[in-house]
């Protein structure tokens, strides 16, 4: 309109390469992921909501949508939308982490239900990929704490079959295509 592209109609789903020090809640003090989006997106009704939040100090792939059905489909553990994280650790891996994380018996402090089994792949002395079926509060960090280590850097690199593109710089975003959406569920 008047030389400006119109925003897509409902439903809108975008991917954002979330940088460090941004929160996923508009109610939090300080910088939020909404500050990285066009101001006019704040006036959408329904509004854009994150699909599985990332902690303030976690970077990587964040999806936001105004489609409630899609949001719930992706975050439900039975959806098959696995979340993969790249973790950098303070101390070297000890070799027991894969068994602990994959056991289905690991309990986090102050919780009464064990974590679902998680995938684990060591990438080096202090790096690993973690694959989650669920997304509990600070889950990857707390899993490594239970294993006697500390996460110094955490980045979500994929959700389902959708990977964070190498050419999407931190702080940048783009609208998901129908092909992107299909790849979430293996299509």
């Amino acid at each position: 309109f008047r030389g400006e592209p119109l925003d897509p109609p409902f439903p809108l789903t975008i991917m954002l390469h979330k940088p460090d020090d941004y929160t996923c809640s508009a109610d939090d003090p300080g910088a939020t992921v909404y500050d990285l989006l066009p101001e006019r997106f704040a006036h959408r009704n329904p509004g854009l909501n994150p699909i599985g939040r990332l902690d303030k100090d976690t970077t990587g792939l964040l999806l936001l949508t105004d489609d409630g059905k899609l949001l719930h489909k992706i975050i439900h553990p039975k959806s098959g939308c696995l979340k993969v994280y790249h973790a950098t650790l303070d101390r070297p891996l000890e070799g027991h982490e894969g068994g602990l994380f994959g056991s289905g018996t690991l309990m986090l402090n102050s919780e009464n239900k064990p974590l679902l089994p998680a995938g684990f792949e060591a990438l080096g002395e202090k790096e690993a990929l973690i694959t989650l079926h669920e997304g509990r509060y600070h889950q990857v960090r707390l899993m490594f704490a239970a294993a006697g280590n500390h996460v110094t850097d955490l980045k979500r690199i994929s959700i389902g079959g959708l990977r964070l593109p190498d050419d999407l710089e931190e702080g940048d975003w783009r609208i998901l295509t129908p092909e992107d959406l299909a790849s979430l569920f293996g299509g």
Side-chain angles (χ1 to χ4, degrees):
F1 180 75
R2 296 185 180 163
E4 292 292 320
L6 295 175
D7 288 337
F10 172 86
L12 172 63
T13 304
I14 63 170
M15 74 164 50
L16 170 73
H17 188 160
K18 182 193 164 297
D20 193 26
D21 288 329
Y22 282 79
T23 63
C24 291
S25 174
D27 298 330
D28 287 343
T32 74
V33 294
Y34 297 100
D35 297 333
L36 302 168
L37 303 175
E39 193 274 329
R40 67 186 184 277
F41 280 14
H43 303 290
R44 291 183 69 91
N45 188 9
L48 289 172
N49 292 296
I51 302 175
R53 296 180 178 194
L54 291 176
D55 304 328
K56 183 176 183 178
D57 49 358
T58 300
T59 64
L61 180 60
L62 178 66
L63 301 179
L64 295 106
T65 189
D66 56 13
D67 184 345
K69 287 182 182 177
L70 177 66
L71 185 149
H72 291 291
K73 185 176 179 182
I74 293 171
I75 64 171
H76 197 281
K78 292 182 181 178
S79 72
C81 282
L82 304 177
K83 289 85 176 167
V84 180
Y85 296 80
H86 178 267
T88 304
L89 306 165
D90 185 47
R91 293 182 296 286
L93 293 164
E94 295 180 1
H96 68 284
E97 295 87 354
L100 177 63
F101 298 165
S103 70
T105 61
L106 180 60
M107 295 278 290
L108 299 179
N109 287 339
S110 76
E111 293 200 7
N112 58 6
K113 182 179 174 187
L115 296 173
L116 292 175
F120 175 85
E121 179 185 347
L123 298 178
E125 181 176 83
K126 295 182 179 182
E127 291 183 63
L129 292 180
I130 305 299
T131 303
L132 301 181
H133 297 266
E134 59 188 334
R136 297 194 198 175
Y137 183 73
H138 293 301
Q139 184 172 343
V140 174
R141 294 177 192 281
L142 292 173
M143 288 168 62
F144 276 107
N149 212 329
H150 173 75
V151 174
T152 59
D153 188 65
L154 188 61
K155 181 177 187 176
R156 182 161 54 198
I157 59 173
S158 69
I159 299 173
L162 184 64
R163 292 190 58 82
L164 180 66
D166 292 334
D167 62 349
L168 190 65
E169 299 293 324
E170 280 194 12
D172 288 347
W173 60 275
R174 72 171 173 82
I175 296 171
L176 293 190
T177 66
E179 294 78 21
D180 293 330
L181 290 168
S183 73
L184 283 167
F185 305 102

